[in-house]
Every structure is written in C-alpha cells, then in structure tokens.
Amino acid sequence: MIIKEYVKNKKIEMKNLILNMERRPKLVIVQINEDEASKAYIRGKLKDAEELGVNAELVKLPLDTTEGELLKKIDELNHDESIDGFIVQMPLPKHINEETVKLAISPEKDVDGFHPLSYLDPCTPRGIMNYLKAENIQIQGRNAVVIGRSNIVGKPMARLLLKESANVTILHSKTSFEDMKRYIANADIIVIAIGKAGFLDRKFDYKESAVIVDVGINRLEDGLHGDAERDLPVALQTPVPGGVGLLTRLALYENLLTIVENKK
Ligand code: GUN
C-alpha cells in the first residue's frame, strides 16, 4: 500500500481510539529556532494533532533563551500532570547543549524517544518498522543494511531490525565504496539516512526483491530529494516527499498514545 494510504488508515484508527478516551491527550512542542525545516515539521505535527483530536500546544521561546531557562521550562513540563508528552524541536541555538536537553526530558514524557532510558523508540525507526510490518515485509533472517549511524535514526533503526532477527549491518562514512557495493548487492532491506541526495543510484547493484527505505530529505533548487535516486530497480522504494516523513509524524502520535495507555 502506498504510504499516504497507510497513514490515512492509521490516522482514522487513532482518531477513533482518541474519541473514546476520557480526555484528549495533550502534547507540547517547544521551539527555540527560526529554522525553516523545523517550521515545516511543526506545522505538519500541529495539523496531525488537529486531525487526530490531540490537544497540541506550541511553546515558542526566544532565540536568546538560556540553557538554564530552557531546563526550567522542561522541569515544569515534566511535572505538569495535564501534559502527557512533549518534544523540544531540534536544532537548538548553539549556546544550548542538545544532549543536556535530551537528558532533562523525563523518559515518561519523551515522545521523541531520545532519552537513553526512554522505553519509547525514536519516531523515525518506529514509524518505519510499523510500516514494514504492515506491508508484510519479511525481516527475520533477512539481510538488512542501515546506511548512516546517527543516534536518532541509524543506531535505533539497526537495533529494531536486530530485535526482529534481521542480519543487520551498519554502513557509514568510513565504509569503503567496494564494501558498500558488496553489502548493498546482498541486501534485502536497505534503510538510508545520510543526507546525500541521490547517493543510492544505478552505480550499485540491487536485488530485484530489495526494499529501500529512504529517510533522506534534501532540499535542492528543484525541490525535495531523498538519499536514493527515484525509481531504482527494486521491489519497493519509499518516495520523497510523501514517504518516511509521514511515517515519522505518525509515530510521534503512536508514542504519545503509548504513554497515555501506559498510565492506565
Ligand atoms: N528536528 C528534526 N526532526 C526532529 C524530531 O524528530 N524531533 C525533534 N525534537 N526535533 C527534530
């Protein structure tokens, strides 16, 4: 099923679930940047909230907010019982340490799943795993290659694929081209998140039955491009735009609902 359809159906299910709750779940989004991509992500998240019946509030703090002031705000949100979960939109201004901020968010309310003690999975890997399962893609015993080793996509993605018993390899900027070719040619599932437009192209060989999950969102003059060239000769390739971005947005609310359900 194309991702748009899948997300639409999932949203209907979630909306019905929320309608039957005693109170609407509440999400807070904290923003301390004027970043265009962040603005677009936040607009999308707020639109989803409205559609789903989630009470979402945007807290915009000035760019000169100090780390101490932000930590105080986080402490307030951690203790506010009317709030089920919150996120601090990244990137943050240079004078604020992102790692300190991630660790300050209570794992109980960490909808992003960024805290090392969080029981929630980060949104992009969670969204991707749910989609692969919905598509009945076999994971157990398959060769999964994750390209990129970031803390929010590559590493948790590899962990989730391993949990489902895939044979997982992580490739990265120090992997030689020859090795890259070899692993890609043998891959059943490729998840790429390196932020390089069209990196996966026809210089690589692919299994005809391979699945490519493209996490890249690269803004070029002629529009948005993924990390993979379009229409590669594989069985399934997620598009950009209209692909993983939608799955990530959906997973944010899946995480929020997991938090609400766990409170019962
Ligand atoms: N900036 C870009 N993507 C994300 C995300 O998933 N969560 C947060 N908090 N910031 C982001």
Side-chain angles (χ1 to χ4, degrees):
M1 195 189 314
I2 61 165
I3 291 183
K4 275 191 182 141
E5 283 294 308
Y6 163 78
V7 169
K8 198 169 123 192
N9 293 340
K10 274 290 204 190
K11 276 183 170 168
I12 294 170
E13 266 175 43
M14 287 161 81
K15 188 175 166 175
N16 286 330
L17 198 74
I18 292 168
L19 266 176
N20 287 315
M21 287 180 170
E22 279 165 28
R23 63 173 186 84
R24 291 167 70 187
K26 181 162 182 190
L27 172 78
V28 170
I29 300 173
V30 180
Q31 182 186 13
I32 318 183
N33 65 38
E34 290 294 339
D35 178 57
E36 286 307 317
S38 284
K39 282 186 197 165
Y41 293 146
I42 291 172
R43 264 200 310 276
K45 288 168 188 169
L46 293 174
K47 184 172 152 271
D48 290 340
E50 197 172 318
E51 227 178 292
L52 293 170
V54 166
N55 180 3
E57 186 189 330
L58 174 61
V59 175
K60 262 195 101 168
L61 298 178
L63 289 178
D64 62 0
T65 301
T66 64
E67 188 173 290
E69 284 165 342
L70 174 58
L71 293 177
K72 195 158 160 262
K73 181 73 199 172
I74 290 174
D75 190 53
E76 216 177 273
L77 296 169
N78 280 341
H79 289 99
D80 184 338
E81 285 187 7
S82 73
I83 294 163
D84 297 293
F86 65 98
I87 69 166
V88 178
Q89 183 69 29
M90 308 291 171
L92 291 171
K94 295 260 179 298
H95 63 273
I96 301 180
N97 185 312
E98 291 191 352
E99 292 312 309
T100 309
V101 168
K102 286 179 194 165
L103 292 175
I105 299 172
S106 160
E108 313 284 303
K109 295 201 176 182
D110 177 24
V111 206
D112 267 323
F114 285 170
H115 195 289
L117 296 180
S118 178
Y119 66 94
L120 296 162
D121 296 316
C123 299
T124 300
R126 176 171 183 169
I128 292 171
M129 287 308 287
N130 287 350
Y131 175 67
L132 293 178
K133 287 182 191 168
E135 283 290 308
N136 287 317
I137 308 281
Q138 197 192 326
I139 299 171
Q140 183 176 323
R142 292 300 165 105
N143 300 333
V145 166
V146 177
I147 311 176
R149 53 176 158 177
S150 70
N151 289 331
I152 63 170
V153 183
K155 282 185 219 149
M157 189 73 235
R159 176 171 56 79
L160 294 187
L161 286 162
L162 185 61
K163 198 163 133 196
E164 298 295 327
S165 302
N167 317 319
V168 184
T169 308
I170 305 183
L171 309 180
H172 46 74
S173 54
K174 300 290 186 282
T175 305
S176 74
F177 182 69
E178 284 314 308
D179 283 337
M180 197 72 89
K181 276 190 93 150
R182 197 158 51 82
Y183 283 110
I184 289 171
N186 276 315
D188 298 300
I189 299 169
I190 303 171
V191 179
I192 181 157
I194 57 168
K196 285 191 181 156
F199 178 85
L200 283 185
D201 60 12
R202 285 162 194 267
K203 45 176 197 301
F204 296 106
D205 294 321
Y206 305 91
K207 281 191 177 182
E208 261 176 49
S209 57
V211 172
I212 296 180
V213 178
D214 190 347
V215 186
I217 299 181
N218 305 289
R219 268 161 229 278
L220 304 187
E221 271 174 16
D222 62 343
L224 287 189
H225 291 261
D227 288 346
E229 198 177 277
R230 289 201 178 96
D231 301 322
L232 291 171
V234 293
L236 179 78
Q237 176 178 359
T238 65
V240 177
V244 172
L246 299 179
L247 300 177
T248 302
R249 268 166 62 179
L250 187 71
L252 179 76
Y253 291 98
E254 287 172 334
N255 273 350
L256 184 71
L257 294 189
T258 302
I259 292 176
V260 173
E261 308 248 295
N262 275 330
K263 280 188 188 167
K264 284 182 193 158

CSV table of all heavy atoms in Angstrom, one decimal, residues 41 45 87-90 112 114, ligand 1:
chain,number,residue,atom,x,y,z
A,41,TYR,N,8.1,21.1,9.8
A,41,TYR,CA,7.8,19.9,10.6
A,41,TYR,C,6.7,20.2,11.7
A,41,TYR,O,5.8,19.5,11.9
A,41,TYR,CB,9.0,19.4,11.4
A,41,TYR,CG,10.2,18.9,10.6
A,41,TYR,CD1,11.5,19.0,11.0
A,41,TYR,CD2,10.0,18.1,9.5
A,41,TYR,CE1,12.6,18.5,10.3
A,41,TYR,CE2,11.0,17.6,8.7
A,41,TYR,CZ,12.3,17.8,9.2
A,41,TYR,OH,13.4,17.3,8.5
A,45,LYS,N,3.1,18.6,12.3
A,45,LYS,CA,2.7,18.0,13.6
A,45,LYS,C,1.4,18.6,14.2
A,45,LYS,O,0.6,17.9,14.7
A,45,LYS,CB,3.9,18.1,14.6
A,45,LYS,CG,5.1,17.3,14.3
A,45,LYS,CD,6.3,17.6,15.2
A,45,LYS,CE,7.5,16.9,14.7
A,45,LYS,NZ,8.8,17.4,15.3
A,87,ILE,N,7.9,17.5,23.2
A,87,ILE,CA,9.2,17.5,22.5
A,87,ILE,C,9.8,18.8,22.5
A,87,ILE,O,9.1,19.9,22.6
A,87,ILE,CB,9.0,17.0,21.0
A,87,ILE,CG1,8.3,18.0,20.2
A,87,ILE,CG2,8.2,15.7,20.9
A,87,ILE,CD1,8.4,17.8,18.7
A,88,VAL,N,11.1,18.8,22.4
A,88,VAL,CA,11.9,20.1,22.2
A,88,VAL,C,12.4,20.0,20.8
A,88,VAL,O,13.2,19.1,20.5
A,88,VAL,CB,13.0,20.3,23.2
A,88,VAL,CG1,13.8,21.5,22.9
A,88,VAL,CG2,12.5,20.3,24.6
A,89,GLN,N,11.9,20.8,19.9
A,89,GLN,CA,12.3,20.7,18.5
A,89,GLN,C,13.8,21.0,18.3
A,89,GLN,O,14.3,22.0,18.8
A,89,GLN,CB,11.4,21.7,17.7
A,89,GLN,CG,11.6,21.7,16.2
A,89,GLN,CD,11.2,20.4,15.5
A,89,GLN,OE1,10.2,19.8,16.0
A,89,GLN,NE2,11.8,20.0,14.4
A,90,MET,N,14.5,20.2,17.6
A,90,MET,CA,15.9,20.4,17.3
A,90,MET,C,16.0,21.0,15.9
A,90,MET,O,15.1,20.7,15.1
A,90,MET,CB,16.7,19.1,17.3
A,90,MET,CG,16.5,18.3,18.6
A,90,MET,SD,17.3,19.2,20.0
A,90,MET,CE,16.7,18.2,21.4
A,112,ASP,N,9.7,11.8,21.7
A,112,ASP,CA,10.7,11.6,20.7
A,112,ASP,C,11.5,10.3,20.8
A,112,ASP,O,12.1,9.8,19.9
A,112,ASP,CB,11.7,12.8,20.7
A,112,ASP,CG,11.4,13.9,19.8
A,112,ASP,OD1,10.9,13.6,18.7
A,112,ASP,OD2,11.6,15.1,20.1
A,114,PHE,N,14.1,10.1,22.6
A,114,PHE,CA,15.6,10.5,22.6
A,114,PHE,C,16.3,10.1,23.8
A,114,PHE,O,17.6,10.0,23.8
A,114,PHE,CB,15.7,12.0,22.4
A,114,PHE,CG,15.4,12.5,21.0
A,114,PHE,CD1,15.3,13.8,20.7
A,114,PHE,CD2,15.2,11.6,19.9
A,114,PHE,CE1,15.0,14.3,19.4
A,114,PHE,CE2,14.9,12.0,18.6
A,114,PHE,CZ,14.8,13.4,18.4
B,1,GUN,N1,14.2,18.1,14.3
B,1,GUN,C1,14.1,17.3,13.2
B,1,GUN,N2,13.5,16.2,13.5
B,1,GUN,C2,13.1,16.2,14.8
B,1,GUN,C3,12.4,15.3,15.6
B,1,GUN,O1,12.0,14.2,15.2
B,1,GUN,N3,12.3,15.6,16.9
B,1,GUN,C4,12.7,16.8,17.4
B,1,GUN,N4,12.5,17.1,18.6
B,1,GUN,N5,13.4,17.7,16.6
B,1,GUN,C5,13.6,17.4,15.3
